[in-house]
Amino acid sequence: MIVVKNKADCCGCTACYSVCPKKAISMQQDQEGFLYPFVEISKCIDCKLCDSACPIENKIESKMFDRKAYVLRAKDVEIVSTSTSGGFVTPLGEWILNQGGVICGATYNEEYKVIHKISGGAEEFRGSKYVQSDLGDCFSEIKKHLMQETKVCFIGTPCQVYGLKSYLRKEYDNLVTVDLVCHGTPSPKLWKKYLDEQKDKYHSEIDDIVFRNKTYGYHSGTMRIRFKNQFVYYGSARVDPMLKSFFAEISSRPSCYQCHFKSVERCSDFTIYDCWHANNLVEGLVDDDKGFTNLIVQSSKGERILDRIADRYELYATNLEKAIELDGTMICHSAEPHPRRDEYYLNLDK
């Protein structure tokens, strides 16, 4: 039976919740707004499937593979302009959909809560969402699709990808996984309070949100919120309270400060992260401030897929070690604990 004794040892991936045959586990919000597993003892049959599904307790070994690095962006200008970086996911997602597959990634529900959902469209998964998403029943739904031999593309943070793989307990050739190099995940409660404050301040419901809009170019992304009363809010990381708390590393989940999934070698097929130094990584490439993405191909499956969709990107091979040195600090390093983090969350209710 899974018991969370130390919150730093639970990433909230839902693998234990999803695998329980008796539905004895629920994901419940703590005081800070993060979800943790809670076991209803009367339903538990002590099968220990929850313990074996935990990706922290049962770390998946990374594959032996000659990993390759690329700088890229989608050839479609509209995809790049509405993506956080270079728009890697949309062409990949479209390729999956063209084969009758589905995509599972982070998006917003009607109340702008960040959730993971399975969709038959690729565009809604564009853009960073600096909040821990609610995975709901995605893992069990993905397994049903895989058992029906449907192609599935799953996009998430490393702990979510590892959680899915640990829950599935076997490799599926029709599953394609993309992990995002992660800086840490603030709580959904914090995000809701931020949105409520913005709605009160501007006297309107929200119509659209972009965490890193290319208002002043890729290198100067801003929070953009469009309200139903037609007002549009812009806030840089210097002034916007949500972005400030995220980049100050004061609002992340406890497990993010001791992340168990920090490594160049991942269990995913692709790893993507921001490319701030495109002109230093690719000789002769001009950084026009529209955005590029750093890509690490993590598997032979990923290599085969990239070969099939390469014509949809501007694609440049680069040196893996140099790309990590210039842009990939968070690949191997956890968020630094902020000395006033506990105080921050205690004051959140006030």
Side-chain angles (χ1 to χ4, degrees), residues 197-213:
E197 184 178 277
Q198 293 284 43
K199 288 187 286 187
D200 287 345
K201 184 175 182 178
Y202 297 106
H203 312 293
S204 177
E205 292 298 311
I206 292 167
D207 192 46
D208 183 59
I209 296 173
V210 180
F211 259 86
R212 274 176 52 193
N213 192 64

Side-chain angles (χ1 to χ4, degrees), residues 118-171:
I118 295 175
S119 172
E123 63 284 342
E124 68 179 300
F125 301 120
R126 287 181 205 159
S128 299
K129 291 119 184 142
Y130 296 143
V131 185
Q132 183 158 39
S133 63
D134 188 339
L135 284 156
D137 294 314
C138 280
F139 284 7
S140 56
E141 291 172 17
I142 286 170
K143 187 173 183 178
K144 289 176 185 175
H145 281 290
L146 294 172
M147 296 291 285
Q148 294 165 1
E149 299 187 351
T150 303
K151 278 192 181 296
V152 178
C153 179
F154 180 80
I155 308 120
T157 58
C159 60
Q160 291 173 334
V161 174
Y162 274 89
L164 173 62
K165 291 285 189 83
S166 189
Y167 158 75
L168 292 172
R169 300 174 70 183
K170 61 172 283 190
E171 286 291 331

